[in-house]
Structures are given as C-alpha cells and as structure tokens.
Amino acid sequence: MKHKHHHLSRRYRAALYAHLKQGRSGTLHLAHGLGGEALAAGLQTLDLAKLHEQILVTEILPGSPARKRSALIKQAGVFFAVAITPIEKTQRNALAAAVHLKKIVETLSRRTVELAAANLELSLEITLRKAVEAELKKSEHHYSELLKQSDQLQEQLRRLSRQILSAQEDERKRISRELHDVIAQTLTGINIRLATLKKEAAINTKGLDRNIARTQRLVEKSVDIVHQFARELRPAVLDDLGLIPALHSFVKIFSKRTHLHVHLKIFAGVEQLDSNKRTVLYRITQEALNNVSRHAHASRVEITIQKLADGIGMKIKDNGKSFNLERVLNAKGRKRLGLLGMRERVEMVGGTFCVKSSPGNGTAIEAIIPFVHVRKNGLKNPAISH
C-alpha cells in the first residue's frame, strides 16, 4: 500500500509541475486521472489535500519569486479541484469541502512562506549581529594593543630622553675638561712665558729668541686645539668647500690620530645634494668612524659613496669585531645613541638606514639618501636642518 501511495505521490508531483509550467487546461486530464487513482487507492480528499500542500509549500513556493506566489497558489488550486472531482462524486458536499480545503491550502501556504521568510530574515539578522560583535571584540583588542604599544613607546621615549640628556652632560664635561686641562693650561703657560720674556728683555736679550719660539709653539698648539673643537662641532670646510673636501680633511685627521687606514671612494655628484643631506652624510661618517675607533678594534675602514638610480648610497665597512645589534639597541649608553642618531638623521631626510654585523665580517653601515624627499602624502618635503 505504501508503495502505491509513494508511486501516486511521485506522479501527482510530476503532473502538478507540468500544469504549473504549461499553464494550460490541457493538463487537467492528468489531475482527473490521478484523482481516480487516489480514490481507488482508498485515499480521501484530506489525504490528497495534504499531499498537494506538502508539494506546494515545501518544493514549489520557496523557490519562486514573491510576486508570483499568489498566482501559483491559484493555478495549483485549479489542479487540486479537478484532482478531487472523482472523490467528490462519492462524498456529500465534496465540492464545498474542496473549496474549503483549497482555501485552507492557500492560507497554510502563505503562512508557511511568510514564516520561512521571517526565519530567513531572523537568521540573517543573527548572523549580522554576530559579525558586528566579532568586529567589536576585534576592534577592542586592536585598540588595546595600540594603547599598550603607545605606552611602551612613551616609556622608550622617556628612557631615550634621559639617555640623551646624560650623554649631552657627559659631552659638556668632556669639552669643559679639555678646555680647562689643555686650553687654559696652555694659555696660562703663554702668560707666564710672556711675563718671563718681559723681565728678560729688561735685563738682557740672551735666550730671548728661544723663549719666543717656545711661546709661539704654545700659541700654535692652542690654535690647533681650538680648530679641533670647531671641526667636531661644525666643520667650516663643509659649508665653504663642500662635502668631499670636508670628508677628506676629516678622514686625514682621523687616520693620523687613530692610526686606522681609511679608504674613501666618493661620487663627485654628491655635491648636488642640498646642504642638509650632505650634512647627514658627514655626520654618519663622523659617528661611524668614532664608533670604529672606540669599539671595533679594526685596522681598516672602507667608505663608499656612490650614485644609485634615485639617490645616493653610502656604505661604511670595517674589518673589526662584530657585535649583537639587538643587544646594543636594547642597552644603555652612547654606542646605542650613536646608532639611533644615525638612523634618525637618515630617516628625517627620507632615506633608509641599516646596520649589518657578523663574526668574521666586521660591521657595515649602509644608508640611502634620495635626491628628492617625498612624504607619505606624495608631496615633496625639504630636508630638515640639524
């Protein structure tokens, strides 16, 4: 019996689909025939109505546009009314029952579709709310991380500020000590010798030339020391003659003082850079060579300044001992400030800076200075003076 009902259900579904697709009364004979088979199988009008509703509500209406559902329900109702005609002949008031059942089917179908649509909207709203909640949690975590990073950066800035102030104070002490121990003592010696010369000149002139020569040497020594301080603070040759003469002069004096062999190879077009960028290259060379003399225990340093596609590249490489870059950057002291200062100078004119150090290969400092400094917003930015 179940097999017969299943077979009837499949044929009823196929005939109903054909009727809805063709939309002509020519397919209604199929409905009448199916009604006869339903009657022979012992089905009642309500049984056929349940089958009709199941097919209509679960299969046909959900996949149809909302504007066509009402027409489909009416068209399917015609098919159902014809299908129950054979059954109607054996039941009193079957026609009225059919009409009533047809209305029930239409009402149930609409309500089912409306409920399905409401469930779909509710599901979409729940999904949207979950997505919004997830984004809010993600944003909270993101802002929490940003706040934590901001606190860390502020602490680093405070620590760097203290180190810079300490380094400045140490530099002032050094200059003060040098002025007191060297310049002041030399000038005091000159003053004493001048007083002695004054007395000797009043008595006799024997040995006067020799004492004058000694005094002149003291004056020359004082002048040299003053020039040395001036070069360290700001070399006049850099402004008057350019970067290349300034570097040659500094390297010559540095090599003589430290006994390090420094090879300088420089691109002549570097002088086309503006004053601020040339100053950056000079300060990097100055700081890098001072670091080499203090820490690297090297015997040779190579300085190369060459032209690149869109800027100037500088490389300073020594054959001394290497160091752990992370450890130095996280440490306290002047060496760390030297590296940070070099990087900061390069980045302020739109360049890039890196340090490479490995055992057996010494240390290499590399910087790229662009011909034109372009800010992130795409506008040209003049170099910053130091």
Side-chain angles (χ1 to χ4, degrees):
M1 181 65 79
K2 289 184 178 180
H3 177 72
K4 289 182 179 180
H5 289 177
H6 181 68
H7 181 66
L8 178 64
S9 173
R10 285 192 296 128
R11 291 184 62 197
Y12 187 92
R13 179 185 291 104
L16 180 58
Y17 268 99
H19 175 72
L20 295 176
K21 183 177 180 181
Q22 295 179 16
R24 297 194 303 267
S25 60
T27 58
L28 291 177
H29 69 282
L30 298 175
H32 190 275
L34 289 169
E37 292 181 20
L39 179 62
L43 297 178
Q44 302 295 322
T45 302
L46 184 59
D47 297 325
L48 200 59
K50 289 181 179 179
L51 174 61
H52 180 84
E53 180 192 9
Q54 181 183 3
I55 297 172
L56 186 66
V57 172
T58 61
E59 298 181 19
I60 297 175
L61 294 178
S64 303
R67 64 180 182 275
K68 294 183 178 181
R69 288 172 186 167
S70 179
L72 286 174
I73 292 172
K74 291 180 180 179
Q75 189 177 352
V78 174
F79 184 88
F80 173 71
V82 175
I84 64 174
T85 301
I87 303 174
E88 144 188 350
K89 295 178 180 180
T90 63
Q91 297 179 1
R92 184 176 296 177
N93 299 325
L95 182 59
V99 174
H100 180 65
L101 286 172
K102 178 183 175 183
K103 291 181 179 179
I104 293 175
V105 169
E106 292 178 357
T107 303
L108 289 174
S109 299
R110 290 192 186 97
R111 290 180 178 177
T112 303
V113 172
E114 291 172 358
L115 181 60
N119 287 335
L120 180 60
E121 291 179 0
L122 181 59
S123 177
L124 291 175
E125 184 177 355
I126 292 173
T127 303
L128 180 60
R129 287 187 178 182
K130 287 183 178 179
V132 171
E133 289 177 0
E135 286 297 324
L136 285 174
K137 290 181 180 179
K138 185 177 179 181
S139 298
E140 289 176 0
H141 179 71
H142 177 65
Y143 286 120
S144 176
E145 289 295 323
L146 287 179
L147 183 60
K148 187 184 298 182
Q149 293 178 10
S150 176
D151 292 338
Q152 292 175 352
L153 288 174
Q154 287 181 358
E155 180 59 29
Q156 290 180 3
L157 286 174
R158 285 193 291 268
R159 187 164 59 249
L160 281 175
S161 179
R162 290 193 293 267
Q163 292 181 13
I164 289 172
L165 291 175
S166 177
Q168 287 177 342
E169 192 61 31
D170 291 341
E171 190 67 14
R172 288 168 181 167
K173 288 180 181 178
R174 185 185 70 83
I175 294 175
S176 175
R177 186 169 53 251
E178 292 288 340
L179 289 175
H180 178 271
D181 295 343
V182 180
I183 300 296
Q185 290 184 10
T186 303
L187 292 177
T188 301
I190 293 173
N191 188 43
I192 293 173
R193 287 190 176 277
L194 289 175
T196 303
L197 287 175
K198 183 178 180 180
K199 293 179 180 179
E200 289 180 354
I203 300 173
N204 56 53
T205 59
K206 187 178 180 180
L208 187 60
D209 292 339
R210 183 178 58 198
N211 288 328
I212 290 175
R214 290 177 179 176
T215 305
Q216 288 176 332
R217 285 196 294 271
L218 288 176
V219 172
E220 291 173 356
K221 183 179 179 182
S222 299
V223 172
D224 290 340
I225 294 173
V226 170
H227 285 167
Q228 180 182 344
F229 278 120
R231 282 192 300 269
E232 291 180 359
L233 295 174
R234 176 73 184 186
V237 66
L238 179 61
D239 298 317
D240 298 337
L241 301 179
L243 177 63
I244 297 176
L247 285 179
H248 278 293
S249 176
F250 174 75
V251 166
K252 181 178 179 181
I253 296 172
F254 175 84
S255 298
K256 184 178 180 181
R257 176 170 57 87
T258 61
H259 305 290
L260 276 171
H261 178 71
V262 181
H263 178 70
L264 177 63
K265 183 179 179 181
I266 187 168
F267 166 61
V270 72
E271 300 292 0
Q272 296 176 2
L273 292 175
D274 59 47
S275 175
N276 298 304
K277 294 179 179 179
R278 284 185 279 122
T279 300
V280 169
L281 292 175
Y282 181 86
R283 292 303 185 192
I284 293 174
T285 305
Q286 187 181 42
E287 185 65 34
L289 290 182
N290 286 334
N291 283 343
V292 171
S293 66
R294 295 190 191 104
H295 310 290
H297 303 291
S299 60
R300 179 180 177 85
V301 182
E302 293 184 0
I303 304 173
T304 304
I305 300 178
Q306 59 184 352
K307 181 182 179 182
L308 303 178
D310 55 355
I312 298 294
M314 165 181 267
K315 183 175 182 180
I316 303 175
K317 189 178 186 314
D318 65 66
N319 64 348
K321 66 177 185 179
S322 61
F323 63 90
N324 188 306
L325 182 59
E326 292 295 328
R327 186 182 302 170
V328 170
L329 290 177
N330 292 326
K332 299 179 180 180
R334 183 175 176 80
K335 186 176 182 180
R336 178 200 185 201
L337 290 176
L339 291 176
L340 293 178
M342 285 189 282
R343 184 178 68 185
E344 185 67 18
R345 285 181 180 276
V346 172
E347 290 180 351
M348 281 197 295
V349 293
T352 57
F353 176 84
C354 70
V355 180
K356 300 177 182 178
S357 186
S358 59
N361 294 320
T363 301
I365 292 176
E366 298 180 6
I368 297 177
I369 307 294
F371 290 122
V372 178
H373 181 192
V374 179
R375 294 179 295 186
K376 292 183 178 180
N377 58 8
L379 300 177
K380 294 181 179 180
N381 187 28
I384 302 171
S385 299
H386 304 292

